Amino acid sequence: MARADRKLADNAPGPYWVDSSCIDCDLCRQIAPGVFGHDAARAQSIAVRQPEGHRERRRAAMAVVACPTSSIGSEDAAEVRAAARDFPEPLDPAGRVSFCGYASQGSYGAASYLLRRAEGNVLVDSPRAAKPLLARVRDLGGVSTMFLTHADDVADHATFARAFGCKRVMHQDDVRAGTRGVEQQIAGVDPVRLAGDLLVVPVPGHTRGSAALLASEEVLFSGDHLWWSETSQRLHASRGVCWWSWAEQTRSMERLLDLRFEWLLPGHGRRWRAPSAQAMRIELEHLVRRMRAAA
């Protein structure tokens, strides 16, 4: 739990606050943007004001639930208990794609997603294996496939595999001691079709075995390869967190130009839904040019 003796001084007075254990994962600012903001000097989140009305109180409580480091304090215990049942949170009207919340410190607060399909649900990367989330995922039909985008965001994958008996899929170049039991290991850089609507796209660069998942030529689950920057309002890839090869990451980004999608769901960074697949491609082309220039 968040500690009052570590409360950051610049928090707005009131029942919600952030302590100094914050790792700046940005999730609280995405979930409750009117309440939580960024302290750039400290590179941490703070409560910039207190929630107003029921919706803002619930969103602030959801941020408490999702926080990977339990860095958000709240005096509204009843609202937080209720918010524990709000994840997975649907991101589209049909509830086909949901944000799992319950981020894990082991994945540095990366987002994970549940893709609901008649052929079997897909869990993209691993959230924290909290009992309320496991129960809600079970109510939604469980998990048949768990796709792990790269070695950084595997978190509690083994717990989910045991709970749902799902097949895990990961690129072999990112398999580590804790993921040796992954049932399907992808090799090489050529896309691999898991099902008619699911395509694994290797995107080495951020890590040697980074991979994205394309669903129905509409949604790209990109891991830490690609995200939308709230600051620049552009697609973004960071050389500063490229752990393997910037040149390879640039080539991987170029290969995405061969795909059709309009919705980007990353592990870190902001989500973005382009007005069209063509608009997404244009943004990708701009990014590739910037990456080449930074080589």
Side-chain angles (χ1 to χ4, degrees):
M1 296 182 63
R3 288 173 46 178
D5 63 330
R6 297 174 63 178
K7 184 188 301 187
L8 295 172
D10 291 335
N11 283 291
Y16 286 90
W17 44 272
V18 181
D19 77 13
S20 60
S21 65
C22 171
I23 59 173
D24 200 25
C25 73
D26 187 43
L27 282 184
C28 67
R29 305 194 296 268
Q30 295 183 45
I31 295 168
V35 175
F36 298 102
H38 193 223
D39 184 333
R42 289 193 179 93
Q44 291 178 310
S45 292
I46 55 170
V48 293
R49 67 172 175 81
Q50 294 301 314
E52 300 174 357
H54 173 71
R55 174 174 168 75
E56 278 202 343
R57 287 196 301 272
R58 179 55 66 88
R59 299 302 299 181
M62 289 172 69
V64 174
V65 171
C67 179
T69 49
S70 299
S71 300
I72 305 174
S74 171
E75 297 168 16
D76 197 348
E79 196 73 61
V80 173
R81 284 195 298 271
R85 299 187 292 273
D86 286 347
F87 293 111
E89 177 194 14
L91 298 179
D92 62 317
R96 181 168 170 257
V97 181
S98 297
F99 165 53
C100 291
Y102 286 97
S104 169
Q105 186 173 6
S107 293
Y108 212 79
S112 56
Y113 305 94
L114 183 69
L115 173 66
R116 297 180 67 190
R117 308 164 61 247
E119 302 84 355
N121 296 342
V122 179
L123 184 60
V124 179
D125 285 329
S126 176
R128 187 174 4 120
K131 288 182 180 178
L133 179 62
L134 288 163
R136 285 290 295 128
V137 170
R138 189 171 289 108
D139 291 344
L140 293 170
V143 180
S144 64
T145 301
M146 186 174 193
F147 178 73
L148 301 171
T149 60
H150 65 297
D152 299 342
D153 294 352
V154 300
D156 293 336
H157 72 97
T159 302
F160 283 90
R162 287 193 298 270
F164 298 108
C166 56
K167 175 183 72 174
R168 290 162 293 177
V169 181
M170 186 179 192
H171 199 285
Q172 66 178 15
D173 287 343
D174 261 27
V175 171
R176 305 288 186 268
T179 47
R180 284 178 185 156
V182 165
E183 289 77 12
Q184 182 173 353
Q185 298 183 18
I186 305 300
V189 296
D190 293 331
V192 174
R193 191 159 292 282
L194 297 181
D197 61 333
L198 297 175
L199 185 71
V200 176
V201 184
V203 285
H206 171 69
T207 62
R208 185 172 182 175
S210 287
L213 182 68
L214 178 66
S216 302
E217 294 191 334
E218 177 191 7
V219 185
L220 186 75
F221 299 96
S222 60
D224 293 349
H225 173 68
L226 170 68
W227 63 90
W228 181 257
S229 168
E230 185 73 5
T231 303
S232 67
Q233 291 293 294
R234 289 176 154 184
L235 289 180
H236 184 70
S238 173
R239 189 165 190 168
V241 294
C242 178
W243 309 134
W244 187 58
S245 168
W246 184 250
E248 285 298 323
Q249 190 162 352
T250 302
R251 283 190 282 271
S252 294
M253 203 70 72
E254 291 171 346
R255 288 194 291 273
L256 292 186
L257 294 170
D258 295 332
L259 306 179
R260 185 184 188 280
F261 62 98
E262 62 184 49
W263 196 4
L264 177 69
L265 297 179
H268 287 101
R270 298 296 176 98
R271 306 185 285 261
W272 185 54
R273 191 158 201 167
S276 66
Q278 180 60 23
M280 180 67 78
R281 180 186 170 84
I282 290 170
E283 284 293 331
L284 268 175
E285 289 172 343
H286 292 329
L287 174 58
V288 168
R289 284 197 289 271
R290 295 196 302 273
M291 292 177 72
R292 287 173 180 161

